[in-house]
Amino acid sequence: GCRVLNGNIERSSRVHLIRDQRVINTYSIASLKREKEDAREVREGMECGIRLENFRKGETRANIPS
């Protein structure tokens, strides 16, 4: 799960995956969910689920600025 720390995340956004202060890759959002429902946008302070296009599972604890 994720929490939006600043601003909003929109389903149409491209985002950077950052680990250890390095940009690992840039991804499109494949799905964005809020309370198990599809969402077009999630606002600051809310929790959500994000699935990234072509992302392989791996380490956790990454920042995803949009």
Side-chain angles (χ1 to χ4, degrees):
C2 301
R3 179 177 299 240
V4 179
L5 299 176
N6 302 74
N8 300 328
I9 294 181
E10 295 179 3
R11 168 85 170 62
S12 60
S13 298
R14 289 192 51 84
V15 296
H16 302 293
L17 180 72
I18 297 176
R19 284 200 185 106
D20 299 323
Q21 300 177 352
R22 285 188 16 234
V23 174
I24 303 300
N25 207 340
T26 301
Y27 297 95
S28 294
I29 295 176
S31 73
L32 182 62
K33 300 213 177 225
R34 171 85 179 117
E35 297 181 4
K36 297 187 181 185
E37 298 292 324
D38 287 331
R40 290 190 344 214
E41 176 183 71
V42 179
R43 294 189 176 129
E44 185 173 324
M46 298 180 113
E47 293 182 351
C48 63
I50 299 175
R51 187 169 58 85
L52 302 174
E53 290 269 340
N54 302 316
F55 176 74
R56 301 182 283 126
K57 285 186 177 182
E59 295 180 41
T60 59
R61 298 282 177 184
N63 292 320
I64 306 175
S66 61

